[in-house]
Every structure is written in structure tokens, then in C-alpha cells.
Amino acid sequence: MKDWFVIKNINDLAIDMININKNENEEQEITEIIPAILYTLYVYHLNFNVKDPMWCNRDRVVMSSSCDSAFFYVNLFFAGFNYEIGELKKYGHLNKISSSLTYNPNLGIDISNNIFFTEIVSAVGMALGEKIYESKILNNSNIINFYTYVICQATDLLNGINFEACHFASSNKIGKLIIICYSLKENDVIRIFKSLKWHCTVIRNKSVNELNKALNKAKIILDKPSIIEIKIKKHPKNKLKQNNKRSFNISKEAVLFYRKKLNIRTVKNYYDWQNNLKLTLKKDYPDLIKNIIKNKSKLELDSNIILNDVFNKKLSDINKEILDILKSKFKLLHNLSATKQIIGPLLNGLSLVNLKVYTTCNLKYCDYLFPAIKASAIMNISPIYIFYYDYKNIARLFQTIDKLNYLRNTFNLKIYRPADIKELIGSLMYIFSLNKPTVLIVSNYKNTKIYNSSSKKIKYGAYIIRNEVNKLDALIVATGAEVYLALEIANKLYSENIDLRVVSIPCKENFEEQDDSYKNAILPKASKIFVIEDSIDFSWLKYTYKTENIISCNIYKSYTNQKYLAAKEIMEIIRKNL
């Protein structure tokens, strides 16, 4: 049986899937080349194990958003991943077989497609992660030496953010990154990438043998990334409208031939890697490598972190305690220099290879990182974003603090706003134990400690920082630097026989996870609740039930630098609404 017969089966089944999804705008040139690329890559080059899909040294495959996912699903079915023909028939109508790829390593998908077209940038992050593992962490032990492959259209690489990531890859000499692109029209992609000092190859046809030779050459080049461009001479006719029978005929012989040819190579490579790992463990390596064999395929690297501070080098001036805690807790601090446009997707790529990563920047740059934050939340990976802002500069405050609302409305994202150093320490310690994306927002407020604040209660999300003295008249809820203001107001109003409880909520998401008994003990439903926060966040209505009890940016407009004037106005609001 020849390769072209299997490729034709993959192509025909994918076209049937696209027809069922009624995607008449699909371009047929994709169907002519994608199956050949995937077949060559999986059968002759890719290292992975279907029985151990989370293997830490598996090669990664990244499909650009411009490529049709139907061909990828069919190829994974042929490779032996857990897909059924009945599921393929429901392409586009099941979460498992959606029209855009959703991150699921157990099903062979290493990254989600997203509307921001950042997959290529994240692929650069994955390849960078391999380089960091091998050179910085595992001391060239060959335990981690996977390749990252990208399949895309040539025009995708000229997109601003993708081109910037490719320049970053060449500047940092990231090897084991191979991009396979295809094009119908003449373009300057290869000329441009030669100027970036990439290893470049051009193929004039879609022959499996030609692509196989090009990949073999690219894998030898380890000191720079590689690109292979496949030139398609003619624009083939669109067959999608002609092929409406939806027969789903598939050759069992083709599937068996594919899997037999694949398993001969991949199974051997997998067991060779395990034997190499056992030999490595006999040497005097740290416990870090032993964790690999202990966890089999899942790599745990809680003692390592990637540090990035490209936006503003003055974080230590604003909150020196953060860097002190990080340096005392984590052994490896690797400075990564990149622009604000690509740092978010790069962090996602590093997180996808199980590195614990974080970045620090001013809150006003949140918009640049927001697409990457949303992507990390969808994939449920765990980069950490540390934002800081100038609490005393009100003009700058209004430009930044409203972004808190956007972050809070992001699915599967935890936001922490510590009030003092103790809450900051508790937030950091808790964040690094989580396996989901988190945001830490700190201010430059100089009071470092609050009486009764707690680092251990961060896991509950909210706790009482000032209890009522005699009777409970009302509650003040505050976050971050506003906790100081809430305590000051509560103490002043107590002299007027208004007895207030102050509750600090460093993390609303943690508080919502608690049981009802704890929530009612902290925020009794029968009590009046006021919220003080520099934000425009109406999710607080869940606790206050009245908009006039939410004291946010609309109150802060009338003062400049004097917190006492703000306190006076807030006290008047509380008196009025009691």
C-alpha cells in the first residue's frame, strides 16, 4: 500500500466532515496539501505515544487558525487517538470535535485555536521552553529534547505579531522549531526569513519524499529555527460543493497501514527514552529529574520560574517585597526580554510545556495582555500576571483601574488584590499552588502592615479584618489599598456610635467557592453592606443589592491627592443610607 492512498482517505473523510458542517467557503487548496503534511509529519517524524498522551517529551504540533481543523481530527483518528467515526460525523456540533481546535493533550491537541491568531507565538514559547529545560534545568541530559512543529499558510507569518515572534526566535537562537507553510502565490517569505537567519527550504511540489527530506535536514539544525515553504503551482478547483454525498467511506486497510507504520517508530522511541531516563537517574542529578520518572509523563517544576519584567524595571521600587519573596522561593530566575505584544502568548507557550511562569507590568498595559489572558483561561493553564499601579496619582489611576472590571469578568481567572504585605505573601504562596491562570494586582501604597490582616486566610477569599465592637450596624467591604480607607472610616464612625464591620476580600473567586455557612458568617444577609473599591465593577451588587451602596470611581472623581476628602464623602454616603 502506498502513502498516497492513505492521504487520499484522510482527505476524503475530512471533506465529508466539512460538507456536513456546511462550510462552503472553505478553500480547496488546504485539502490538497494539509493531509500530506500531517501524514508525513506523524508517520515519519513525530515522537508521541497514544497510550501516554501527556508524555513530557512528546513533540508538539501547532495548527494555525487559518488551517482547517477537520483534517487534523481525521489524522488524529488515523493515529489512534480516542475519536470515533460517529463523532467525526458531528464535526462542528460537539465540543470534542469543534470547528476550532480546543486544547486537550489526551486527544492529541497541544494548543487551542483562538480568534487572536497567536498560536504561532505560543509555538515559539513552547520551543523556548524546550531550550530552557535542556540548557538551564536538566543540564543537557537529553531528557527533554522535543521538537515544535507549526503548520500554517505563508501569509500567516507576515502578520505583525507572528513576524515579531519569528524575529524573537531567531534572535534567541531557538532551535527545534520547524514551521511548515504553504502558498499559492509568489511571495517574499523565504527571502524575509533568510534575512532573519532562519534555515530555509523551498519545495515545489507536495511529494511526501521531498517533505520528508526537508524535515530531516531541518531537524539537524539546532542553533536556529527552520522554515519549509511548499509552493503550490495551480489553484485547484473547489470540490467541496461537488462532494455532497457524505458517504464517510473509509478504508480499514488504510487505517491499519497508517497505525502499523507509525507504531514501529514511535513505540521504539518511547521505550528508548525511558531507558535513557533510567540511566540518567543513576547519575548524581537533583531530585527534579527524579520527579519525571516518579510522575511518569507529567513534569513537575514547582521550584523553577521564568521572570519577565520588560514593561517597567521599577517594580522593586514599588513593591520590593514581591521580588524578595519570589527570589527566596524559586531557585531559577530567567530573564526573558520581549515586547508587550508577544509576551502574553509566549508565556502561554511556556505554560503549555509545564513551566511555571510569570510576568510583571503596569496595569495600564493590561490591554496588550488581555487576549493571552483569555486564551490561558480557556486552556486552563497557569501563567501568573502581576500588575501594579500608582495609587497616589489619581489621573493615572482612572486610566488603569477600570481594567479590573474586564479582568473580573473573564471566565476561569482568579484576581488577587492584597491590602498589605501579609496578604501579599499569602496571595503569592497560594497562587503558586494553583493550576489555573491568576492575576495579582498591587499598588505602591507604602503602609506595609495592617493590624489583624492575615496571610493564611487568603485561601478563603474574604475574612473579617475589623469586627464590630457591640452591635453590627453595617459592613464595609474593601479590596487592596482601599482597605486602609475602610478601616479609617470605620474607626471615625464608631465615635458617632455607628458600629461597622470591615471585611477584606483579596479574592472574590475564592470567596465564592466557600460554603454558605462561611459566606453568611462573613457577610450576613440581613446586614447593610457598603463596598469601597477603585473600580467600575457592578458585580458587587450581588452583595449590596443597591447601586448607591457601591462607592467606586464615581465618588473618587471629586478629589485629587487627599484621601481624607474621599473619606469624608464616603462617610456621608454611609450615614445617608443607613
Side-chain angles (χ1 to χ4, degrees):
M1 186 179 292
K2 295 185 177 180
D3 294 333
W4 66 265
F5 181 74
V6 182
I7 294 172
K8 184 178 182 302
N9 270 265
I10 295 173
N11 185 67
D12 291 345
L13 181 55
I15 290 176
D16 287 339
M17 290 168 59
I18 295 171
N19 280 328
I20 277 191
N21 202 38
K22 298 180 180 180
N23 249 339
E24 296 183 354
N25 294 325
E26 297 291 344
E27 297 180 354
Q28 179 62 18
E29 67 267 21
I30 296 179
T31 70
E32 294 289 330
I33 191 63
I34 292 293
I37 295 174
L38 289 170
Y39 175 81
T40 306
L41 196 57
Y42 274 75
V43 171
Y44 294 105
H45 295 277
L46 210 66
N47 278 332
F48 68 100
N49 192 310
V50 175
K51 295 181 179 178
D52 187 6
M54 296 295 293
W55 179 29
C56 60
N57 198 42
R58 70 186 185 279
D59 290 338
R60 271 69 173 179
V61 178
V62 176
M63 294 281 287
S64 174
S65 296
S66 62
C67 301
D68 198 293
S69 57
F71 304 99
F72 194 55
Y73 286 125
V74 174
N75 186 77
L76 293 175
F77 164 74
F78 270 70
F81 284 94
N82 187 25
Y83 295 95
E84 302 292 340
I85 287 292
E87 294 173 334
L88 296 179
K89 289 180 180 180
K90 297 179 180 179
Y91 168 68
H93 302 284
L94 288 178
N95 289 333
K96 184 178 177 181
I97 315 286
S98 61
S99 55
S100 60
L101 299 176
T102 303
Y103 172 65
N104 191 340
N106 289 315
L107 294 176
I109 303 173
D110 292 312
I111 188 172
S112 295
N113 285 346
N114 59 72
I115 61 173
F116 306 107
F117 301 100
T118 59
E119 301 88 358
I120 295 175
V121 187
S122 295
V124 174
M126 292 180 186
L128 174 63
E130 187 278 335
K131 182 178 180 179
I132 292 170
Y133 271 127
E134 187 62 11
S135 60
K136 300 280 185 181
I137 300 174
L138 301 179
N139 301 320
N140 299 309
S141 62
N142 280 328
I143 299 300
I144 301 295
N145 56 2
F146 61 83
Y147 285 83
T148 302
Y149 298 92
V150 179
I151 302 173
C152 65
Q153 292 189 33
T155 52
D156 295 344
L157 298 172
L158 301 180
N159 175 294
I161 187 172
N162 291 335
F163 183 75
E164 191 173 344
C166 293
H167 184 270
F168 172 87
S170 61
S171 300
N172 288 273
K173 297 181 179 180
I174 300 175
K176 298 185 180 177
L177 171 65
I178 301 175
I179 294 179
I180 307 170
C181 65
Y182 53 90
S183 60
L184 282 170
K185 301 176 181 179
E186 291 297 323
N187 56 63
D188 294 330
V189 169
I190 291 299
R191 181 181 63 82
I192 293 171
F193 275 74
K194 281 183 178 178
S195 69
L196 295 178
K197 298 182 180 180
W198 281 54
H199 171 256
C200 302
T201 306
V202 178
I203 302 175
R204 295 291 175 181
N205 58 64
K206 55 186 179 182
S207 165
V208 171
N209 290 333
E210 291 294 322
L211 180 56
N212 198 17
K213 290 177 184 178
L215 284 167
N216 284 328
K217 289 181 181 179
K219 289 167 72 174
I220 297 173
I221 309 297
L222 301 179
D223 60 344
K224 56 184 175 181
S226 301
I227 180 172
I228 301 170
E229 184 182 16
I230 304 174
K231 298 277 190 182
I232 304 174
K233 294 182 180 179
K234 295 182 180 180
H235 191 301
K237 295 180 181 179
N238 193 322
K239 300 177 182 178
L240 293 178
K241 295 180 182 179
Q242 304 169 6
N243 198 6
N244 287 322
K245 295 181 181 180
R246 306 177 187 178
S247 57
F248 281 93
N249 291 329
I250 188 167
S251 170
K252 293 183 180 179
E253 291 79 9
V255 176
L256 292 174
F257 174 80
Y258 186 111
R259 293 180 182 178
K260 182 178 179 180
K261 203 167 185 178
L262 177 73
N263 290 336
I264 290 173
R265 181 183 58 81
T266 57
V267 172
K268 179 181 180 301
N269 290 344
Y270 180 72
Y271 286 110
D272 285 348
W273 178 84
Q274 287 194 326
N275 291 332
N276 178 44
L277 182 62
K278 291 177 182 177
L279 292 174
T280 304
L281 289 173
K282 293 180 180 180
K283 302 176 183 179
D284 187 21
Y285 280 100
D287 293 337
L288 182 62
I289 296 181
K290 294 181 181 179
N291 284 338
I292 302 174
I293 192 66
K294 180 180 178 182
N295 296 287
K296 295 183 179 179
S297 61
K298 191 173 182 180
L299 195 61
E300 300 291 346
L301 286 171
D302 285 344
S303 61
N304 298 277
I305 192 163
I306 310 304
L307 169 65
N308 171 262
D309 187 12
V310 300
F311 298 95
N312 192 328
K313 297 296 182 182
K314 296 181 180 179
L315 175 65
S316 58
D317 297 335
I318 292 177
N319 239 302
K320 186 176 182 298
E321 295 86 356
I322 296 180
L323 292 181
D324 290 342
I325 294 166
L326 294 175
K327 289 177 181 178
S328 65
K329 183 173 175 60
F330 295 93
K331 299 176 183 177
L332 177 66
L333 291 177
H334 179 82
N335 287 297
L336 175 64
S337 180
T339 62
K340 54 184 174 290
Q341 284 81 6
I342 69 170
I343 190 61
L346 274 178
L347 291 181
N348 285 346
L350 290 163
S351 294
L352 285 166
V353 294
N354 293 332
L355 280 168
K356 198 73 174 178
V357 294
Y358 76 89
T359 184
T360 63
C361 73
N362 196 293
L363 187 58
K364 65 183 178 182
Y365 295 120
C366 173
D367 290 341
Y368 291 104
L369 296 173
F370 192 60
I373 292 173
K374 288 184 70 174
S376 62
I378 291 170
M379 292 187 285
N380 197 32
I381 53 179
S382 55
I384 300 168
Y385 300 88
I386 301 176
F387 294 115
Y388 51 88
Y389 67 96
D390 191 348
Y391 180 80
K392 290 187 175 181
N393 190 333
I394 301 302
R396 188 175 298 171
L397 175 65
F398 286 133
Q399 298 172 9
T400 58
I401 201 64
D402 63 303
K403 302 181 190 302
L404 182 60
N405 187 31
Y406 300 124
L407 292 169
R408 282 227 177 98
N409 289 327
T410 303
F411 166 77
N412 196 35
L413 181 68
K414 289 197 172 184
I415 317 294
Y416 291 83
R417 286 199 72 205
D420 69 342
I421 183 59
K422 287 188 282 186
E423 286 193 3
L424 175 61
I425 293 172
S427 297
L428 284 169
M429 297 306 179
Y430 191 74
I431 283 171
F432 290 119
S433 67
L434 295 176
N435 191 28
K436 62 170 54 184
T438 52
V439 170
L440 177 66
I441 300 177
V442 296
S443 74
N444 66 341
Y445 205 55
K446 293 301 180 181
N447 290 350
T448 56
K449 289 185 181 181
I450 300 176
Y451 180 72
N452 279 343
S453 66
S454 172
S455 61
K456 295 181 180 179
K457 294 180 180 179
I458 294 295
K459 62 181 179 180
Y460 301 117
Y463 65 96
I464 300 172
I465 200 167
R466 180 195 186 277
N467 225 325
E468 64 275 12
V469 179
N470 298 313
K471 59 181 180 66
L472 180 60
D473 292 322
L475 292 92
I476 299 179
V477 169
T479 70
E482 289 79 70
V483 173
Y484 296 101
L485 192 58
L487 289 169
E488 178 187 346
I489 290 168
N491 291 331
K492 285 187 175 183
L493 288 177
Y494 182 68
S495 63
E496 302 176 16
N497 293 324
I498 300 176
D499 205 349
L500 299 176
R501 175 189 297 181
V502 178
V503 175
S504 174
I505 303 189
C507 181
K508 284 174 65 177
E509 293 77 20
N510 282 1
F511 182 58
E512 288 299 321
E513 293 173 359
Q514 307 307 312
D515 55 38
D516 291 339
S517 61
Y518 183 82
K519 292 180 185 178
N520 293 332
I522 300 296
L523 302 176
K525 291 183 179 180
S527 302
K528 287 191 175 181
I529 299 175
F530 297 88
V531 174
I532 303 176
E533 187 181 59
D534 284 332
S535 70
I536 309 172
D537 189 356
F538 289 102
S539 65
W540 291 112
L541 281 171
K542 181 175 182 180
Y543 307 114
T544 64
Y545 304 108
K546 293 182 179 180
T547 55
E548 56 266 26
N549 288 1
I550 301 176
I551 305 165
S552 55
C553 287
N554 59 327
I555 301 301
Y556 283 73
K557 289 179 182 177
S558 60
Y559 77 99
T560 54
N561 256 354
Q562 301 175 5
K563 62 175 183 174
Y564 293 103
L565 180 60
K568 182 179 179 181
E569 294 184 2
I570 294 170
M571 288 166 62
E572 186 60 36
I573 292 173
I574 293 174
R575 293 190 197 99
K576 181 180 177 181
N577 290 284
L578 272 178

